[in-house]
Amino acid sequence: MSDSLPGNGDGGGTATIMLMGDTCTRGCRFCSIKTAKAPPPLDIEEPRKVAESIAKWNLGYVVLTSVDRDDLPDGGSGHIASCVSHLKESAPDVLVEVLSPDFQGNMEHVNNVATSGLDVFAHNVETVERLTGRVRDHRAGYKQTMDVLSGVKGLHPNLVTKTSIMLGVGERDEEIRQCMRDLLDAGVEILTLGQYLRPTSRHLKVAEYVTPEKFDEWREEGEAMGFRYVASGPLVRSSYRAGEFFLETMLKERKAAASSA
């Protein structure tokens, strides 16, 4: 587990939990997670364990992220969906965001996650189209990511969708703007932008350290373009407490409006 704040007695805590082990089948050049063609089997007890732990922590918002498991017939989508459904049964008031794999663009598998009872479907585009092949694993693709995000929004118009862009890997301003336009066309409401930081000397080099002022400009531009919320800063990550607080408030307002309609 990472990036967590404990509950404070009123269900206000947040946590990010990694599912499906610590070994990924992909080898993106920005990521330090271990990789293997055949990672260890899934822990079939994980959905129960996660649900029981979260129920004890008195949290308000949980992000479930995962490695990619291309070795599994469904990419692990059923396992992730089971984790969400168990969690919602144990702690129905907890808001759940899933930072989902792309399942190689298989929308049946994507839909397993999208219909699991989650509140926010997130999938990261990571970088601009030109740099995707250099930054991400060959099984990930810019169009594939856009298709996943637009597919989820098309099937579930009321589901909040979210993504993240890393800056500092060699992108150009107009490429960032085009990526943002593509994300809006895909129905994405929530966008985060953060600085890429090189995990080890074996990983992709940092091309630029973007200034805080430039990040502020991207936030203002993103909001003007029509995103519902933009978090932009050197230390912003896709799982970002300020963004989670905004989403928590927004989702509760939507649920209240729906129940009173």
Short mmCIF file of all heavy atoms in Angstrom, two decimals, residues 19-20 25 42 46-47 65-84 98 100-104 108-110 112-113 116:
data_model
loop_
_atom_site.label_atom_id
_atom_site.label_comp_id
_atom_site.label_asym_id
_atom_site.label_seq_id
_atom_site.Cartn_x
_atom_site.Cartn_y
_atom_site.Cartn_z
N LEU A 19 -3.06 -3.84 -6.34
CA LEU A 19 -3.65 -5.17 -6.44
C LEU A 19 -2.82 -6.07 -7.35
O LEU A 19 -2.04 -5.60 -8.16
CB LEU A 19 -5.07 -5.07 -6.99
CG LEU A 19 -6.07 -4.20 -6.23
CD1 LEU A 19 -7.40 -4.17 -6.99
CD2 LEU A 19 -6.27 -4.68 -4.80
N MET A 20 -3.02 -7.35 -7.23
CA MET A 20 -2.48 -8.39 -8.13
C MET A 20 -0.96 -8.55 -8.03
O MET A 20 -0.30 -8.93 -9.00
CB MET A 20 -2.90 -8.15 -9.58
CG MET A 20 -4.41 -8.11 -9.76
SD MET A 20 -4.99 -8.41 -11.45
CE MET A 20 -4.31 -7.01 -12.33
N THR A 25 3.60 -7.59 -16.11
CA THR A 25 4.01 -8.24 -17.36
C THR A 25 4.55 -7.25 -18.38
O THR A 25 5.04 -7.65 -19.44
CB THR A 25 2.84 -9.02 -17.98
OG1 THR A 25 1.71 -8.15 -18.09
CG2 THR A 25 2.49 -10.23 -17.13
N LEU A 42 -2.34 -15.11 -8.78
CA LEU A 42 -3.08 -14.15 -7.96
C LEU A 42 -3.45 -14.77 -6.62
O LEU A 42 -3.65 -15.98 -6.51
CB LEU A 42 -4.36 -13.72 -8.68
CG LEU A 42 -4.20 -12.99 -10.02
CD1 LEU A 42 -5.58 -12.69 -10.59
CD2 LEU A 42 -3.37 -11.74 -9.86
N GLU A 46 -7.34 -12.09 -1.91
CA GLU A 46 -7.10 -10.65 -1.88
C GLU A 46 -8.38 -9.81 -1.82
O GLU A 46 -8.44 -8.84 -1.05
CB GLU A 46 -6.25 -10.22 -3.08
CG GLU A 46 -5.86 -8.76 -3.04
CD GLU A 46 -4.86 -8.38 -4.12
OE1 GLU A 46 -5.05 -8.78 -5.28
OE2 GLU A 46 -3.88 -7.68 -3.78
N PRO A 47 -9.43 -10.12 -2.59
CA PRO A 47 -10.64 -9.30 -2.48
C PRO A 47 -11.19 -9.25 -1.06
O PRO A 47 -11.57 -8.18 -0.57
CB PRO A 47 -11.62 -10.00 -3.44
CG PRO A 47 -10.73 -10.64 -4.46
CD PRO A 47 -9.53 -11.10 -3.69
N THR A 65 -5.13 0.47 -7.47
CA THR A 65 -4.33 0.41 -8.68
C THR A 65 -3.80 -1.00 -8.83
O THR A 65 -4.01 -1.85 -7.96
CB THR A 65 -3.19 1.45 -8.63
OG1 THR A 65 -2.48 1.42 -9.87
CG2 THR A 65 -2.24 1.19 -7.49
N SER A 66 -3.12 -1.29 -9.91
CA SER A 66 -2.65 -2.66 -10.11
C SER A 66 -1.52 -2.70 -11.12
O SER A 66 -1.31 -1.76 -11.89
CB SER A 66 -3.80 -3.56 -10.60
OG SER A 66 -4.07 -3.30 -11.97
N VAL A 67 -0.84 -3.82 -11.13
CA VAL A 67 0.09 -4.12 -12.21
C VAL A 67 -0.73 -4.58 -13.42
O VAL A 67 -1.93 -4.82 -13.32
CB VAL A 67 1.06 -5.25 -11.79
CG1 VAL A 67 1.97 -4.79 -10.68
CG2 VAL A 67 0.29 -6.50 -11.36
N ASP A 68 -0.08 -4.69 -14.58
CA ASP A 68 -0.69 -5.32 -15.75
C ASP A 68 -0.43 -6.82 -15.67
O ASP A 68 0.68 -7.25 -15.35
CB ASP A 68 -0.09 -4.76 -17.04
CG ASP A 68 -0.63 -3.40 -17.40
OD1 ASP A 68 -1.77 -3.33 -17.89
OD2 ASP A 68 0.09 -2.40 -17.19
N ARG A 69 -1.44 -7.60 -15.99
CA ARG A 69 -1.31 -9.06 -15.98
C ARG A 69 -1.78 -9.61 -17.33
O ARG A 69 -2.82 -10.24 -17.44
CB ARG A 69 -2.09 -9.66 -14.81
CG ARG A 69 -1.50 -9.36 -13.45
CD ARG A 69 -0.08 -9.94 -13.28
NE ARG A 69 -0.06 -11.38 -13.46
CZ ARG A 69 -0.11 -12.26 -12.44
NH1 ARG A 69 -0.17 -11.84 -11.19
NH2 ARG A 69 -0.07 -13.55 -12.69
N ASP A 70 -0.99 -9.35 -18.36
CA ASP A 70 -1.32 -9.83 -19.70
C ASP A 70 -1.26 -11.34 -19.81
O ASP A 70 -1.73 -11.91 -20.81
CB ASP A 70 -0.38 -9.19 -20.72
CG ASP A 70 -0.48 -7.68 -20.75
OD1 ASP A 70 -1.56 -7.17 -21.07
OD2 ASP A 70 0.52 -7.00 -20.43
N ASP A 71 -0.68 -11.99 -18.80
CA ASP A 71 -0.60 -13.45 -18.81
C ASP A 71 -1.92 -14.11 -18.46
O ASP A 71 -2.10 -15.31 -18.71
CB ASP A 71 0.47 -13.91 -17.82
CG ASP A 71 0.18 -13.45 -16.39
OD1 ASP A 71 -0.10 -12.24 -16.20
OD2 ASP A 71 0.25 -14.29 -15.47
N LEU A 72 -2.86 -13.37 -17.90
CA LEU A 72 -4.14 -13.93 -17.48
C LEU A 72 -5.17 -13.80 -18.59
O LEU A 72 -5.16 -12.82 -19.35
CB LEU A 72 -4.64 -13.22 -16.23
CG LEU A 72 -3.71 -13.28 -15.01
CD1 LEU A 72 -4.26 -12.40 -13.89
CD2 LEU A 72 -3.55 -14.72 -14.53
N PRO A 73 -6.08 -14.77 -18.72
CA PRO A 73 -7.06 -14.73 -19.82
C PRO A 73 -7.87 -13.43 -19.88
O PRO A 73 -8.18 -12.95 -20.97
CB PRO A 73 -7.96 -15.94 -19.52
CG PRO A 73 -7.09 -16.88 -18.77
CD PRO A 73 -6.18 -16.02 -17.93
N ASP A 74 -8.22 -12.88 -18.72
CA ASP A 74 -8.99 -11.64 -18.70
C ASP A 74 -8.16 -10.46 -18.22
O ASP A 74 -8.71 -9.39 -17.90
CB ASP A 74 -10.25 -11.79 -17.85
CG ASP A 74 -9.94 -11.89 -16.36
OD1 ASP A 74 -8.76 -12.11 -16.00
OD2 ASP A 74 -10.88 -11.75 -15.55
N GLY A 75 -6.84 -10.62 -18.17
CA GLY A 75 -5.97 -9.56 -17.73
C GLY A 75 -6.10 -9.22 -16.25
O GLY A 75 -5.55 -8.22 -15.79
N GLY A 76 -6.85 -10.03 -15.52
CA GLY A 76 -7.09 -9.75 -14.10
C GLY A 76 -8.30 -8.87 -13.86
O GLY A 76 -8.55 -8.46 -12.72
N SER A 77 -9.09 -8.63 -14.90
CA SER A 77 -10.24 -7.72 -14.73
C SER A 77 -11.27 -8.27 -13.75
O SER A 77 -11.86 -7.52 -12.97
CB SER A 77 -10.89 -7.44 -16.09
OG SER A 77 -11.43 -8.62 -16.67
N GLY A 78 -11.49 -9.57 -13.80
CA GLY A 78 -12.44 -10.18 -12.87
C GLY A 78 -11.97 -10.06 -11.43
O GLY A 78 -12.77 -9.86 -10.51
N HIS A 79 -10.66 -10.18 -11.23
CA HIS A 79 -10.08 -10.07 -9.88
C HIS A 79 -10.25 -8.64 -9.35
O HIS A 79 -10.65 -8.45 -8.20
CB HIS A 79 -8.60 -10.45 -9.93
CG HIS A 79 -7.94 -10.49 -8.60
ND1 HIS A 79 -7.95 -11.59 -7.79
CD2 HIS A 79 -7.23 -9.54 -7.94
CE1 HIS A 79 -7.27 -11.34 -6.69
NE2 HIS A 79 -6.82 -10.09 -6.76
N ILE A 80 -9.95 -7.66 -10.19
CA ILE A 80 -10.13 -6.27 -9.76
C ILE A 80 -11.59 -5.99 -9.45
O ILE A 80 -11.92 -5.36 -8.43
CB ILE A 80 -9.61 -5.31 -10.86
CG1 ILE A 80 -8.11 -5.48 -11.05
CG2 ILE A 80 -9.94 -3.86 -10.49
CD1 ILE A 80 -7.54 -4.71 -12.24
N ALA A 81 -12.49 -6.46 -10.32
CA ALA A 81 -13.92 -6.26 -10.09
C ALA A 81 -14.37 -6.90 -8.79
O ALA A 81 -15.18 -6.32 -8.04
CB ALA A 81 -14.72 -6.82 -11.26
N SER A 82 -13.82 -8.06 -8.48
CA SER A 82 -14.16 -8.74 -7.23
C SER A 82 -13.67 -7.94 -6.03
O SER A 82 -14.37 -7.85 -5.00
CB SER A 82 -13.55 -10.14 -7.22
OG SER A 82 -13.88 -10.83 -6.03
N CYS A 83 -12.49 -7.34 -6.14
CA CYS A 83 -11.98 -6.50 -5.05
C CYS A 83 -12.91 -5.32 -4.80
O CYS A 83 -13.21 -4.97 -3.65
CB CYS A 83 -10.57 -5.99 -5.38
SG CYS A 83 -9.28 -7.26 -5.29
N VAL A 84 -13.40 -4.70 -5.88
CA VAL A 84 -14.31 -3.56 -5.73
C VAL A 84 -15.63 -4.00 -5.10
O VAL A 84 -16.13 -3.37 -4.16
CB VAL A 84 -14.57 -2.87 -7.08
CG1 VAL A 84 -15.60 -1.75 -6.92
CG2 VAL A 84 -13.27 -2.31 -7.65
N VAL A 98 -10.65 3.25 -9.36
CA VAL A 98 -9.77 2.20 -9.87
C VAL A 98 -8.88 2.81 -10.96
O VAL A 98 -9.39 3.33 -11.95
CB VAL A 98 -10.56 1.01 -10.44
CG1 VAL A 98 -9.59 0.02 -11.10
CG2 VAL A 98 -11.35 0.31 -9.34
N SER A 100 -7.04 1.70 -13.66
CA SER A 100 -7.20 0.42 -14.34
C SER A 100 -6.16 0.19 -15.43
O SER A 100 -5.73 1.13 -16.11
CB SER A 100 -8.59 0.37 -14.97
OG SER A 100 -8.78 -0.81 -15.73
N PRO A 101 -5.77 -1.08 -15.63
CA PRO A 101 -5.02 -1.43 -16.86
C PRO A 101 -5.89 -1.22 -18.08
O PRO A 101 -7.10 -0.97 -17.98
CB PRO A 101 -4.71 -2.93 -16.65
CG PRO A 101 -4.90 -3.19 -15.20
CD PRO A 101 -5.97 -2.23 -14.76
N ASP A 102 -5.30 -1.36 -19.27
CA ASP A 102 -6.08 -1.23 -20.50
C ASP A 102 -6.57 -2.56 -21.04
O ASP A 102 -7.36 -2.60 -21.98
CB ASP A 102 -5.28 -0.50 -21.59
CG ASP A 102 -3.98 -1.22 -21.97
OD1 ASP A 102 -3.85 -2.43 -21.73
OD2 ASP A 102 -3.07 -0.55 -22.51
N PHE A 103 -6.10 -3.68 -20.45
CA PHE A 103 -6.51 -5.02 -20.87
C PHE A 103 -6.37 -5.20 -22.38
O PHE A 103 -7.18 -5.85 -23.04
CB PHE A 103 -7.94 -5.32 -20.42
CG PHE A 103 -8.14 -5.11 -18.94
CD1 PHE A 103 -8.88 -4.04 -18.46
CD2 PHE A 103 -7.54 -5.96 -18.03
CE1 PHE A 103 -9.04 -3.83 -17.10
CE2 PHE A 103 -7.69 -5.76 -16.65
CZ PHE A 103 -8.45 -4.69 -16.19
N GLN A 104 -5.32 -4.60 -22.93
CA GLN A 104 -5.00 -4.66 -24.36
C GLN A 104 -6.16 -4.20 -25.23
O GLN A 104 -6.33 -4.63 -26.37
CB GLN A 104 -4.55 -6.07 -24.75
CG GLN A 104 -3.31 -6.53 -23.98
CD GLN A 104 -2.75 -7.83 -24.47
OE1 GLN A 104 -2.29 -7.93 -25.61
NE2 GLN A 104 -2.76 -8.84 -23.61
N GLU A 108 -14.62 -5.87 -23.25
CA GLU A 108 -15.34 -6.77 -22.35
C GLU A 108 -14.64 -6.82 -21.00
O GLU A 108 -15.28 -6.76 -19.95
CB GLU A 108 -15.43 -8.17 -22.95
CG GLU A 108 -16.15 -9.18 -22.05
CD GLU A 108 -16.20 -10.57 -22.64
OE1 GLU A 108 -15.84 -10.74 -23.82
OE2 GLU A 108 -16.58 -11.50 -21.90
N HIS A 109 -13.31 -6.89 -21.04
CA HIS A 109 -12.55 -6.93 -19.80
C HIS A 109 -12.55 -5.57 -19.11
O HIS A 109 -12.67 -5.49 -17.88
CB HIS A 109 -11.12 -7.38 -20.08
CG HIS A 109 -11.03 -8.75 -20.68
ND1 HIS A 109 -9.92 -9.20 -21.37
CD2 HIS A 109 -11.94 -9.77 -20.72
CE1 HIS A 109 -10.14 -10.44 -21.79
NE2 HIS A 109 -11.36 -10.80 -21.41
N VAL A 110 -12.44 -4.50 -19.89
CA VAL A 110 -12.54 -3.16 -19.32
C VAL A 110 -13.89 -2.99 -18.62
O VAL A 110 -13.98 -2.45 -17.51
CB VAL A 110 -12.38 -2.08 -20.42
CG1 VAL A 110 -12.70 -0.70 -19.88
CG2 VAL A 110 -10.96 -2.12 -20.99
N ASN A 112 -15.72 -5.22 -17.26
CA ASN A 112 -15.77 -5.95 -15.98
C ASN A 112 -15.45 -5.01 -14.83
O ASN A 112 -16.09 -5.05 -13.77
CB ASN A 112 -14.75 -7.09 -15.97
CG ASN A 112 -15.16 -8.28 -16.81
OD1 ASN A 112 -16.33 -8.44 -17.15
ND2 ASN A 112 -14.19 -9.11 -17.17
N VAL A 113 -14.45 -4.16 -15.04
CA VAL A 113 -14.05 -3.20 -14.01
C VAL A 113 -15.04 -2.05 -13.91
O VAL A 113 -15.45 -1.65 -12.83
CB VAL A 113 -12.63 -2.66 -14.30
CG1 VAL A 113 -12.23 -1.59 -13.29
CG2 VAL A 113 -11.62 -3.81 -14.28
N SER A 116 -18.18 -2.76 -11.87
CA SER A 116 -17.94 -3.44 -10.59
C SER A 116 -18.51 -2.71 -9.38
O SER A 116 -18.51 -3.25 -8.28
CB SER A 116 -16.43 -3.62 -10.38
OG SER A 116 -15.78 -2.35 -10.31
#
